[in-house]
Amino acid sequence: MAGHFKATPDGGAAVALDEVEIAILRSLAVQLLELIGPGDEPAEGEDPLAALFVEGPSEPPADPALARLFPEAYGNEDTELRAASAEFRRFTENDMRARKREDALTVVRTLDALAAEGDGGAVLTLSADECRNWLGALNDLRLTIGTRLEVTDDEGEADSLYRLPDSDPRKPMVMAYLWLGALQETLVETLMP
């Protein structure tokens, strides 16, 4: 199973991870949580339904990685489309952030439970719901790292990333990006009918 998800009989998936892989995945998920930011939990005594009607930001994030995670809905070619994107963002970004936080928290929680079970590596077994959370988090992590690495759809650029010398400071990020892609791909394959 080493590094590749395999389907489980209950519709979930399992993957063998060593303690270094667990630590890297957990660290990346925590960093993603920090990037996305804290949620807006209702204060004690505050109506929890009121939180459903809180409007989000209307401007896209300045950080390129956040802008990639929360893209413009309609582009920004003209004033009308910018206005529509701002309106869409106001009513959807808070929910998108909450979902992305939940996905990353699921990764942290499942890895923490796995680490608590024993020494070193172990087999991580996910339910079908946890698989969906993991897929979301793996996608968000790849988008974030890819943005930081300035990855585009250019095939030549992707090839150059594979051939980075070990001395290049981007090499660990590239290795994480490629590894997360392989995990994501095998998880998608296990969930296909």
Side-chain angles (χ1 to χ4, degrees):
M1 198 179 321
H4 298 289
F5 278 98
K6 300 287 183 190
T8 59
D10 64 352
V15 63
L17 299 170
D18 65 33
E19 71 181 291
V20 172
E21 292 169 325
I22 293 168
I24 291 169
L25 282 167
R26 188 182 189 291
S27 174
L28 290 172
V30 167
Q31 290 175 57
L32 181 62
L33 284 166
E34 291 169 356
L35 178 67
I36 293 169
D40 294 327
E41 297 294 321
E44 190 174 323
E46 187 176 291
D47 180 8
L49 291 177
L52 294 175
F53 300 102
V54 173
E55 293 182 9
S58 59
E59 295 297 318
D63 182 323
L66 281 174
R68 184 70 175 103
L69 292 175
F70 304 103
E72 290 293 324
Y74 306 109
N76 59 4
E77 292 78 38
D78 64 36
T79 305
E80 191 173 307
L81 289 178
R82 278 195 301 273
S85 284
E87 190 75 3
F88 184 81
R89 182 178 299 282
R90 266 185 43 227
F91 294 110
T92 61
E93 187 169 314
N94 287 343
D95 288 341
M96 288 176 62
R97 282 181 185 268
R99 183 183 50 79
K100 290 177 182 302
R101 267 192 300 279
E102 183 57 35
D103 291 346
L105 279 170
T106 298
V107 170
V108 171
R109 288 177 183 140
T110 55
L111 292 172
D112 285 351
L114 185 66
E117 289 176 10
D119 296 322
V123 175
L124 174 69
T125 303
L126 303 173
S127 68
D129 286 340
E130 290 169 335
C131 286
R132 284 186 285 282
N133 293 120
W134 266 74
L135 274 176
L138 288 171
N139 186 62
D140 291 343
L141 287 167
R142 289 193 75 240
L143 286 172
T144 302
I145 293 171
T147 301
R148 298 288 191 237
L149 290 170
E150 299 178 353
V151 172
T152 64
D153 291 334
D154 180 11
E155 290 294 324
E157 181 183 318
D159 288 341
S160 69
L161 287 176
Y162 286 109
R163 291 191 283 279
L164 283 177
D166 290 342
S167 59
D168 191 304
R170 297 173 297 165
K171 183 75 173 205
M173 256 321 209
V174 169
M175 297 307 294
Y177 179 78
L178 297 172
W179 176 54
L180 292 170
L183 282 176
Q184 184 180 22
E185 183 178 345
T186 61
L187 184 52
V188 167
E189 288 170 0
T190 65
L191 300 177
M192 300 284 281

